[in-house]
Amino acid sequence: MSERRLPPGQYVPSGWPAVHYGPVPRFRPQRWDLRVYGATAGAGQYRWDWTEFEELPRVDVVADFHCVTRFTITDVRWRGVAAATLVELAPPAEDATHVMVWAEYGYSANLRMDDFLRPDVLLATHRDGERLSPKHGHPVRLVVPHLYGWKSVKWVRAIEYLTVDRRGFWEERGYHNVADPWAEQRYSYQEEPGEGPPLD
Ligand SMILES: Nc1nc2c(c(=O)[nH]1)N[C@H]1C(S)=C(S)[C@@H](COP(=O)(O)O)O[C@H]1N2
Ligand SMILES: [Mo]
């Protein structure tokens, strides 16, 4: 067995903990939609209902998942729609530099557009061949394997294109704006100039 490299300060637990703030939302397919809005190329909005979303092309990604509370789940097999596919279908304005990913109940996380467009970033519907369970983000969750887990927004409902970076839910509550686990970017006090909007 080859030795696996984990980001600093991480360990592999048994099982797969569910981590979130607040209740698990109920999925109502008739009411669900995914919207892209904000700084789009034509200033318009895009919307997919559940049937339309299910028809988008799928990709598979195998990746480790790192939570800032220090556990790493190894070799998770995700299936879903590549974030880059959505961005192709809903082109951003030239000056869109970041995205805010919005969930049910107002949870959010911000990402640099370059991070969002990485080929292993997806809006996942399945894990290890099965539909996500409600507590792990059913029907659709973001997966950003190269950043700490709080950026992997569960129960996604909208993507907002930003021309100026803005902090999401945890980013404005003391967590790092960029969140690279290999650089151990856990907390906002570690941010270097240029890594995040000013904190008030
Ligand atoms: N909507 C929403 N998404 C969320 C969270 C949350 O509180 N609300 N928690 C994040 C955190 S901190 C982590 S580590 C991962 C955990 O994903 P899991 O519960 O599938 O392990 O979900 C992220 N996505
Ligand atoms: Mo987390």
Side-chain angles (χ1 to χ4, degrees), residues 11 41 50 60 67 92 115 120 135:
Y11 72 98
W50 178 242
D60 290 291
C67 174
D115 283 319
D120 57 353
K135 67 180 180 180

Side-chain angles (χ1 to χ4, degrees), residues 3-13 64-66 70-75 148 181-184 186:
E3 209 161 293
R4 174 180 297 277
R5 204 158 73 91
L6 292 183
Q10 298 295 112
Y11 72 98
V12 178
D64 295 351
F65 185 85
H66 314 291
R70 298 184 182 273
F71 68 79
T72 287
I73 311 292
T74 58
D75 289 328
Y148 280 123
W182 298 97
E184 221 174 341
R186 296 178 188 273

Side-chain angles (χ1 to χ4, degrees), residues 90-123:
E94 263 171 39
D95 56 350
T97 52
H98 292 76
V99 301
M100 187 72 81
V101 180
W102 290 100
E104 304 279 359
Y105 301 140
Y107 183 90
S108 61
N110 58 317
L111 296 161
R112 300 186 287 211
M113 185 63 86
D114 289 349
D115 283 319
F116 191 62
L117 288 174
R118 290 259 292 243
D120 57 353
V121 173
L122 74 165
L123 289 128

Side-chain angles (χ1 to χ4, degrees), residues 2-198:
S2 69
E3 209 161 293
R4 174 180 297 277
R5 204 158 73 91
L6 292 183
Q10 298 295 112
Y11 72 98
V12 178
S14 58
W16 186 24
V19 186
H20 49 264
Y21 180 86
V24 174
R26 191 149 69 89
F27 173 45
R28 297 177 183 83
Q30 313 83 339
R31 284 205 222 160
W32 187 93
D33 63 4
L34 179 75
R35 288 190 308 130
V36 176
Y37 69 102
T40 58
Q45 291 200 15
Y46 297 81
R47 179 184 176 272
W48 292 266
D49 66 21
W50 178 242
T51 313
E52 292 163 341
F53 184 84
E54 283 283 85
E55 284 164 6
L56 296 176
R58 292 309 203 250
V59 293
D60 290 291
V61 169
V62 177
D64 295 351
F65 185 85
H66 314 291
C67 174
V68 74
T69 66
R70 298 184 182 273
F71 68 79
T72 287
I73 311 292
T74 58
D75 289 328
V76 189
R77 177 179 295 277
W78 305 100
R79 184 172 180 75
V81 177
T85 299
L86 272 193
V87 173
E88 234 170 74
L89 294 169
E94 263 171 39
D95 56 350
T97 52
H98 292 76
V99 301
M100 187 72 81
V101 180
W102 290 100
E104 304 279 359
Y105 301 140
Y107 183 90
S108 61
N110 58 317
L111 296 161
R112 300 186 287 211
M113 185 63 86
D114 289 349
D115 283 319
F116 191 62
L117 288 174
R118 290 259 292 243
D120 57 353
V121 173
L122 74 165
L123 289 128
T125 53
H126 290 71
R127 183 239 188 189
D128 294 332
E130 287 178 19
R131 281 271 172 205
L132 295 172
S133 62
K135 67 180 180 180
H136 286 297
H138 179 67
V140 176
R141 77 171 300 164
L142 187 68
V143 175
V144 188
H146 68 285
L147 299 177
Y148 280 123
W150 79 79
K151 302 273 193 189
S152 289
V153 176
K154 300 191 278 191
W155 314 299
V156 172
R157 289 294 303 274
I159 317 284
E160 180 187 359
Y161 294 154
L162 307 176
T163 55
V164 176
D165 194 11
R166 225 165 66 212
R167 290 175 187 273
F169 183 85
W170 286 119
E171 293 82 4
E172 60 179 17
R173 288 172 175 76
Y175 287 89
H176 199 287
N177 194 58
V178 178
D180 176 1
W182 298 97
E184 221 174 341
Q185 295 174 332
R186 296 178 188 273
Y187 307 111
S188 51
Y189 65 74
Q190 300 171 294
E191 287 171 19
E192 303 288 343
E195 286 182 336

